[in-house]
Amino acid sequence: MIAMPDSAINQAADQTRLAFGLALTEMADQDDSVVAISADTLDLIGLRGLVDKHPDRVIDAGIAEQNAMGIASGLATTGMRPFLCGYAPFITARSIEQLRNDVAYAHQRVVIGAAASGISLGVSGGTHHALEDLALMRALPNITAIVPADSHQAWKAVFATQAIDGPVYIRLGGRVPEPPVSDPDAEFHVGRADCLRQGDDVTIIACGCLVADAIAAAELLSTEGVAVRVLNMHTIKPLDCDAVLTAAAETKGIVTAEEHRITGGLGGAVAELLARKNPTAMRMVGMPDEFATVGPTGKVREGYGLSSANIMTSCLELLA
């Protein structure tokens, strides 16, 4: 696995969306079949460098996600390696028919870089919140769904797609910092969770921006004598079933944490598995069944309990 070089680390500025664009540019240098299709995301995903180096391999479809999805699918049929870059709420919900029929059903080798996921564009309104995208991806056969926890994992996820024969959805953040939580030199394995902390009292399974809060909650709980296992579930589909079942067997309960509605996302995937294999006490930290309020991302997250404090409270409830 190629580690993220220092030059890219500086440019990514702790943002997964920019790390994705930098990795895509690096891959294009190595592989003439790589092509980027942008749905008005040249700046959002940091594709200007790719435009400068390989202008003939960047297609800006504009604010036309359905067309962009069709273009990506068509290019894949010719042997090209299309990377479709879009805003998460639009590249999924707006183009769901094309995604379902032209990409997933046709099993096309298309990589979707979906930036501004969750409520990372909190001030832009409900239309710009992506809180159901993972549920949509989980419901479609053939799709691999990855949620990098930081820029290092976003970089590695791009290169990991080289070994995947089928569509891949990579969920990226917006214009808010995502602090590093993973080991920059660690291998990245699709479908295998990273255990960031060991513990035998309770397990926190988190993804994306909530991984940092999960670690903070575990550190706070350790001061109270609670040993918390923390799993970074960077791949939602396929889920690391072994890691989940082992945690259920070795700890007293599981708390999931995600910036997504608790319906159909990481929490849903974990609960579905445990219901079948090993019913386990659970709590889910995530968004409720409603359209989120509008406001600064930090304030919106705090208002909905997407925080280390709420994760900590959920853990203590399980142990009570």
Side-chain angles (χ1 to χ4, degrees), residues 1-315:
M1 183 64 63
I2 301 174
M4 193 176 182
D6 290 341
S7 59
I9 293 172
N10 293 332
Q11 293 179 69
D14 287 341
Q15 296 188 42
T16 53
R17 62 185 178 92
L18 297 178
F20 179 94
L22 291 166
L24 176 53
T25 301
E26 177 74 16
M27 184 179 285
D29 289 340
Q30 304 171 10
D31 186 348
D32 291 340
S33 69
V34 170
V35 58
I37 302 95
S38 165
D40 194 34
T41 55
L42 294 180
D43 293 311
L44 179 70
I45 296 188
L47 298 177
R48 295 293 179 182
L50 181 56
V51 172
D52 292 340
K53 298 175 74 173
H54 306 288
D56 57 331
R57 284 193 275 142
V58 179
I59 300 171
D60 192 350
I63 306 175
E65 285 79 8
Q66 293 167 319
N67 287 342
M69 191 70 69
I71 292 169
S73 176
L75 287 170
T77 65
T78 70
M80 298 295 287
R81 290 216 54 210
F83 284 72
L84 176 54
C85 306
Y87 282 78
F90 310 131
I91 204 64
T92 54
R94 179 177 291 162
S95 58
I96 189 63
E97 181 183 355
Q98 288 73 24
L99 175 54
R100 176 186 183 272
N101 296 337
D102 300 343
V103 175
Y105 183 63
H107 204 276
Q108 297 288 18
R109 200 178 180 205
V110 173
V111 177
I112 301 169
S117 65
I119 46 177
S120 58
L121 289 184
V123 298
S124 298
T127 57
H128 286 60
H129 300 163
L131 295 168
E132 61 286 305
D133 56 322
L134 291 177
L136 294 172
M137 295 308 106
R138 287 189 60 230
L140 293 176
N142 299 328
I143 289 184
T144 296
I146 300 172
V147 187
D150 59 20
S151 59
H152 293 284
Q153 289 202 323
W155 172 278
K156 295 172 186 175
V158 171
F159 286 95
T161 64
Q162 292 174 309
I164 300 175
D165 183 19
V168 181
Y169 181 78
I170 302 180
R171 193 181 203 237
L172 307 166
R175 292 183 173 89
V176 289
E178 297 154 283
V181 294
S182 67
D183 180 352
D185 298 319
E187 291 289 319
F188 181 86
H189 299 282
V190 174
R192 187 187 305 173
D194 295 332
C195 184
L196 303 182
R197 287 180 67 104
Q198 292 287 352
D200 55 11
D201 285 326
V202 65
T203 298
I204 304 172
I205 303 178
C207 66
C209 65
L210 268 293
V211 174
D213 289 289
I215 294 172
E219 291 174 348
L220 288 169
L221 286 166
S222 69
T223 65
E224 299 186 16
V226 180
V228 181
R229 183 175 307 185
V230 177
L231 297 180
N232 171 16
M233 192 65 72
H234 54 68
T235 308
I236 308 301
K237 185 181 180 182
L239 190 72
D240 187 344
C241 297
D242 290 341
V244 175
L245 293 173
T246 298
E250 296 179 351
T251 65
K252 302 177 181 66
I254 290 176
V255 174
T256 58
E258 60 191 311
E259 189 169 288
H260 185 278
R261 292 195 184 92
I262 58 176
T263 303
L266 170 62
V270 171
E272 291 165 17
L273 172 66
L274 294 176
R276 297 194 309 270
K277 299 291 186 177
N278 184 9
T280 303
M282 278 189 68
R283 294 291 185 276
M284 298 182 189
V285 174
M287 297 295 292
D289 184 24
E290 63 184 61
F291 290 103
T293 57
V294 178
T297 298
K299 291 293 186 182
V300 177
R301 286 174 174 168
E302 181 181 356
Y304 283 103
L306 305 184
S307 64
S308 58
N310 194 30
I311 295 173
M312 182 177 176
T313 298
S314 298
C315 290

